Amino acid sequence: MGLGMRRLNRAQDVVAEFDDDAEDSFLALCVRAPETSLRRGISPYDLTMFNTPQLERFVVELEGLPEEEKTPVVRRVIEEAHEAIRRSGYLYFIGD
């Protein structure tokens, strides 16, 4: 099993959940990210949670990627991050 992703509301209840694709393309994108990137901080083995200010920076990083790196799961992460920002929620990543 690869990386699991959850969008949480303000009370930290799960409101959406999805997983990385079969190729683990999102996790691969995180592993090869620059050291200063928030993506690099997503643990493939543990739990990682981003709050609204972190998500704002995270979205900028993801939207700045070349189009060929924006797989369907990357686009879903961007979409869920925008929704979490709008609702003062969180994105929660669950490593394997």
Side-chain angles (χ1 to χ4, degrees):
M1 181 179 151
L3 195 62
M5 293 164 261
R6 311 290 182 262
R7 181 169 49 87
L8 309 178
N9 63 16
R10 186 178 236 171
Q12 298 186 7
D13 300 316
V14 175
V15 292
E17 57 185 286
F18 58 105
D19 296 316
D20 206 347
D21 56 27
E23 294 79 31
D24 290 327
S25 65
F26 185 74
L27 183 57
L29 187 70
C30 294
V31 169
R32 68 176 183 268
E35 288 198 27
T36 57
S37 168
L38 280 176
R39 288 178 287 141
R40 187 66 174 264
I42 295 174
S43 174
Y45 311 109
D46 206 352
L47 307 174
T48 307
M49 186 163 61
F50 291 155
N51 61 22
T52 300
Q54 292 165 322
L55 286 171
E56 290 170 348
R57 180 176 158 200
F58 187 58
V59 165
V60 169
E61 286 182 21
L62 294 177
E63 289 179 337
L65 291 170
E67 286 303 313
E68 61 273 7
E69 292 189 344
K70 293 180 184 174
T71 63
V73 72
V74 172
R75 292 182 190 284
R76 174 83 188 265
V77 171
I78 293 169
E79 175 185 308
E80 296 294 345
H82 277 296
E83 191 64 23
I85 291 166
R86 276 191 289 279
R87 300 184 181 278
S88 300
Y90 306 87
L91 272 189
Y92 190 60
F93 300 88
I94 304 165
D96 196 16

